[in-house]
Amino acid sequence: MKYTRILLKLSGESLMGDRQYGIDPKRLNEYALEIKDVVAKGIEVAIVIGGGNIFRGVSGAANGMDRVQGDHMGMLATCINGLALQSALEDNGVYTRLQTALEIKEIAEPYIKRKANRHLEKGRVVIFGAGTGNPYFTTDTAAVLRAIEVNADAILKGTRVDGIYNMDPEKNKDAVKFETISFKDVISKGLKVMDMTAFTLSEENNLPIIVFDMDTKGNLIKLISGEKIGTIVNNK
């Protein structure tokens, strides 16, 4: 296996499936089965999920809501998604822990680095909810921060597109896909991978990001096994 410990970053929107909002149980179960296959190979898996399928703090602020309040609502949305994914994983026999940056002790453990590492070492999937616990930071930043803290080998960013292109492949049929690209080239070309805070943090800590299509069955295990899936962003 190419990796021994990964952090999987999923968007909240990915949980919608074909719906307009909320959580699609079918898509949730598909993801759980993909993750189960990876865990069965002995790979340690941590996960960060966004909350955009339920609430987005930036959108709330754009409509006149206080940004800090909006971001806190978004953090709670990630906890809802985390609980849903935890349930789906456990229904499929995968031991899972949800740790949150905001204390919600009745439903989740508080985020503690040592406990997170211990869970991962024991083969449990660890879902990190509530972002960083601070407003003005995205779940992209939370994903990079947690990946660094638990010494993940890479961040796997699951999207509906099979990598990074020089232009939007959903709008331009002539778009060219990058197999690998450096952090500096992503910035110079103005490509959108993660928000700049998260991206810079990843670059400074030499933590590679792999952008891949999570919705194609089997892609996650293929990527873990070393097949050329998606686009790798690194310092090389």
Side-chain angles (χ1 to χ4, degrees):
M1 290 293 163
K2 188 172 183 180
Y3 306 105
T4 57
R5 179 177 289 185
I6 62 161
L7 188 136
L8 177 63
K9 171 62 171 67
L10 299 172
S11 69
E13 287 88 342
S14 67
L15 299 186
M16 293 191 299
D18 296 326
R19 300 184 177 196
Q20 297 299 310
Y21 61 89
I23 299 170
D24 177 8
K26 181 174 179 289
R27 173 59 55 79
L28 197 65
N29 191 60
E30 289 170 352
Y31 281 0
L33 290 173
E34 294 282 310
I35 295 163
K36 179 179 181 178
D37 287 344
V38 172
V39 173
K41 295 291 184 181
I43 308 301
E44 297 170 359
V45 181
I47 303 172
V48 170
I49 315 177
N53 57 319
I54 299 171
F55 189 84
R56 225 177 240 289
V58 173
S59 299
N63 290 315
M65 180 178 288
D66 177 76
R67 173 64 188 272
V68 174
Q69 290 287 82
D71 280 355
H72 280 137
M73 291 170 71
M75 290 176 210
L76 295 176
T78 71
C79 295
I80 292 171
N81 286 338
L83 284 166
L85 183 57
Q86 180 183 38
S87 178
L89 285 164
E90 291 184 340
D91 284 347
N92 283 285
V94 181
Y95 293 108
T96 310
R97 295 291 185 272
L98 174 62
Q99 291 196 342
T100 57
L102 298 177
E103 190 169 334
I104 318 173
K105 62 184 179 180
E106 287 79 11
I107 60 173
E109 297 177 1
Y111 170 67
I112 299 172
K113 177 182 178 293
R114 289 179 183 274
K115 288 192 76 172
N117 275 315
R118 188 65 179 138
H119 289 320
L120 292 168
E121 288 166 1
K122 288 186 174 182
R124 299 166 184 153
V125 171
V126 180
I127 302 169
F128 298 120
T132 66
N134 301 292
Y136 297 98
F137 290 94
T138 66
T139 50
D140 278 348
T141 301
V144 175
L145 181 62
R146 296 292 182 247
I148 294 166
E149 288 177 316
V150 300
N151 297 312
D153 299 319
I155 293 176
L156 277 50
K157 182 166 182 175
T159 68
R160 62 184 184 187
V161 181
D162 65 341
I164 300 171
Y165 288 75
N166 62 339
M167 59 184 80
D168 189 342
E170 295 182 339
K171 297 178 181 177
N172 301 280
K173 62 179 181 179
D174 298 324
V176 178
K177 178 184 169 185
F178 299 100
E179 297 297 327
T180 62
I181 187 168
S182 69
F183 286 101
K184 287 182 172 55
D185 283 346
V186 167
I187 295 170
S188 67
K189 295 177 186 295
L191 304 175
K192 181 65 177 173
V193 178
M194 287 182 165
D195 72 80
M196 194 54 67
T197 303
F199 197 72
T200 303
L201 189 60
S202 192
E203 179 184 19
E204 289 176 348
N205 288 274
N206 199 28
L207 181 67
I209 302 167
I210 299 98
V211 179
F212 74 107
D213 176 11
M214 180 68 184
D215 294 347
T216 298
K217 187 177 180 180
N219 263 1
L220 182 59
I221 192 69
K222 288 176 183 176
L223 199 165
I224 293 295
S225 301
E227 289 191 35
K228 290 186 176 180
I229 302 289
T231 301
I232 299 174
V233 186
N234 54 30
N235 275 320
K236 295 179 182 177

